[in-house]
Amino acid sequence: MMQHLDMALLSAFVERWQPDTNTFHMPFGEISILLHDVHHILRIPVDGQLMGDEASQDTLKSDMGGLVRLSVDAQVGGKWKSKWYDNGAMHAEGLLVRGGELKIKEMEVQCYLFVLLGSTLFVDKSRDRIRPAINLFLKDHRRLADYAWGAGALDYLYRQLGVATRAGSKGLCGCLTLLQAWIYEYFPLFRPSQLPQSPDAPRASSWISPRLPGGDEARQRLVRYRQLLDELSADDVTWTPYGRDGHTDIPRSLYTGPIRFSDIAEGYDPSRCLRQFGYRQIIPAAMTVPHDQYRPASGSSYIVFWDPWVNQLWDNVAARRLELDFASRPCEQPSEIVEEYVDWFLTRSHPRITHPTDEEPQPRPLLVHQVSYDFLLLFQI
């Protein structure tokens, strides 16, 4: 399931993630995964009802027992020796089998959707287990289309990127297909070849991601990716991969405030990434910040606490919408910034990950768009 992922590439970007702003800090400034990116890459709804329902662990566990009509403290059985419910998560493959055994169409569909969402949008680090909070949004099939699934998936990915930045954290989860496809969209330097497709199709399905070896070769790729990112300039970025008007049909992308998936809430601020809307980047205003936060180096108790009233911000679209023409002006060049932006940014970040003397400089490879299509076809062969 994860064979299409280049974990070395994803790791290189995780190293540049700033959880206070939920943006990647690059040598040229900030850039992030925004709601219109989710729309174009995955083609799932980013507008709708905020996924703010939550429940206690005891309630979630009880719900799981009701779903499978069994004690979740028991073993799954068959070829599986583990329990249904372990470490706060449900056994995924067993759920699929149990859904068919129940002979109740509605329950079978609910189990299937539960596993589908848990293995695509809300992936757990265990890979074979699913977060029970997903089921909160599946109980009433009539409301499935009402939720902003894309915003929930983005919120969950933001949180997992934040956890992955902690020194003691191991692994990365969330919708990594979204993350990798987003990298391909904005950074031609890392793009594989791409298939033609319908304009309405999810763009994630157009990329031909080669299977890459792990082990020492992956570690070597990571070192190289770090160097390439250190050398990037703003002109190396495709700032508006869906066209200058790629966000206009997705007004929710200009929302400013927290987004949520159950008990997870993260800040979302498009004003830090104006170039992704085709506008000149200015020094952004202060973000809406959580009431409290605890992000220890271990990553084991990662907590971001928001006041309850912030949930209302999502519904107040008009007041929370960033007005681009008021904040800035359209770019004459795609990477345009105000003169004072660089100095402002460098006092709050650092442009390089590797030390200049760590590695011998290597020749910079050609960007994909500089290579002929015939060469790409030959390379695929």
Side-chain angles (χ1 to χ4, degrees):
M1 186 176 71
M2 313 297 286
Q3 294 174 352
H4 67 288
L5 297 175
D6 183 352
M7 294 307 297
L9 179 61
L10 302 186
S11 297
F13 275 80
V14 168
E15 291 174 343
R16 293 180 171 274
W17 184 255
Q18 171 49 259
D20 288 317
T21 58
N22 286 329
T23 57
F24 295 102
H25 281 210
M26 297 294 183
F28 46 78
E30 294 177 271
I31 188 171
S32 192
I33 310 169
L34 301 174
L35 287 171
H36 67 278
D37 294 314
V38 179
H39 166 80
H40 288 287
I41 292 172
L42 298 181
R43 288 293 175 179
I44 58 177
V46 297
D47 206 349
Q49 184 176 336
L50 188 68
M51 301 182 73
D53 297 352
E54 55 182 298
S56 68
Q57 286 298 317
D58 288 342
T59 300
L60 292 173
K61 185 176 180 180
S62 175
D63 284 350
M64 293 298 96
L67 180 63
V68 297
R69 311 289 175 89
L70 292 169
S71 168
V72 291
D73 290 321
Q75 287 191 342
V76 178
K79 64 179 180 180
W80 304 292
K81 306 301 180 184
S82 55
K83 293 181 179 180
W84 280 102
Y85 194 85
D86 189 31
N87 199 25
M90 279 294 281
H91 192 276
E93 200 170 351
L95 264 173
L96 277 179
V97 175
R98 183 60 179 164
E101 291 174 347
L102 290 172
K103 306 297 183 182
I104 304 172
K105 194 64 177 178
E106 186 175 283
M107 302 302 289
E108 184 176 0
V109 170
Q110 187 170 339
C111 288
Y112 173 78
L113 290 175
F114 192 5
V115 174
L116 176 66
L117 292 166
S119 57
T120 53
L121 301 184
F122 307 103
V123 182
D124 185 79
K125 279 187 180 180
S126 67
R127 307 299 187 201
D128 63 349
R129 291 193 169 270
I130 304 174
R131 291 178 61 91
I134 300 170
N135 190 55
L136 294 172
F137 309 98
L138 301 177
K139 291 180 178 181
D140 187 348
H141 293 180
R142 296 167 299 179
R143 296 179 61 196
L144 286 175
D146 296 338
Y147 292 114
W149 291 98
L154 183 60
D155 171 63
Y156 186 73
L157 179 58
Y158 277 2
R159 174 59 58 87
Q160 303 312 318
L161 285 168
V163 172
T165 63
R166 305 299 90 183
S169 181
K170 295 182 180 179
L172 175 64
C173 60
C175 187
L176 302 187
T177 296
L178 169 61
L179 174 57
Q180 183 159 296
W182 177 86
I183 294 171
Y184 293 160
E185 294 286 352
Y186 282 87
F187 298 89
L189 191 60
F190 305 113
R191 285 178 187 163
S193 53
Q194 188 176 22
L195 294 171
Q197 63 173 171
S198 164
D200 295 328
R203 292 172 69 106
S205 63
S206 70
W207 299 106
I208 305 174
S209 303
R211 290 189 61 177
L212 297 169
D216 288 340
E217 290 193 39
R219 284 186 283 274
Q220 292 171 9
R221 289 201 311 277
L222 175 58
V223 171
R224 183 61 178 140
Y225 291 150
R226 287 170 176 161
Q227 294 172 334
L228 291 173
L229 289 175
D230 276 349
E231 297 164 6
L232 277 184
S233 73
D235 292 331
D236 294 322
V237 178
T238 303
W239 287 102
T240 52
Y242 326 110
R244 290 290 291 262
D245 299 324
H247 65 279
T248 54
D249 293 334
I250 319 297
R252 181 61 77 172
S253 196
L254 292 169
Y255 160 80
T256 302
I259 51 178
R260 286 194 65 179
F261 168 69
S262 191
D263 61 336
I264 296 173
E266 291 288 344
Y268 177 87
D269 188 355
S271 71
R272 310 187 77 89
C273 307
L274 294 179
R275 287 175 285 187
Q276 290 175 250
F277 296 94
Y279 277 69
R280 182 180 63 160
Q281 183 61 55
I282 61 172
I283 295 175
M287 288 185 68
T288 303
V289 296
H291 176 77
D292 198 9
Q293 52 199 357
Y294 178 64
R295 301 186 182 108
S298 65
S300 58
S301 300
Y302 192 103
I303 300 171
V304 181
F305 177 74
W306 294 80
D307 289 319
W309 62 264
V310 301
N311 292 336
Q312 303 170 19
L313 300 179
W314 178 263
D315 297 323
N316 196 357
V317 181
R320 302 301 302 178
R321 177 185 169 91
L322 172 66
E323 296 297 335
L324 289 172
D325 289 321
F326 178 79
S328 183
R329 61 173 174 78
C331 289
E332 294 180 5
Q333 299 295 327
S335 58
E336 189 177 355
I337 58 175
V338 295
E339 185 176 350
E340 59 271 22
Y341 176 77
V342 172
D343 289 339
W344 171 87
F345 178 71
L346 292 180
T347 62
R348 290 158 175 80
S349 186
H350 53 86
R352 297 180 62 92
I353 293 294
T354 59
H355 191 278
T357 59
D358 282 351
E359 300 287 340
E360 289 296 323
Q362 300 182 36
R364 182 187 179 89
L366 289 172
L367 296 178
V368 169
H369 62 67
Q370 296 172 303
V371 185
S372 71
Y373 182 68
D374 289 339
F375 178 80
L376 284 175
L377 289 178
L378 179 63
F379 184 77
Q380 283 298 113
I381 295 172

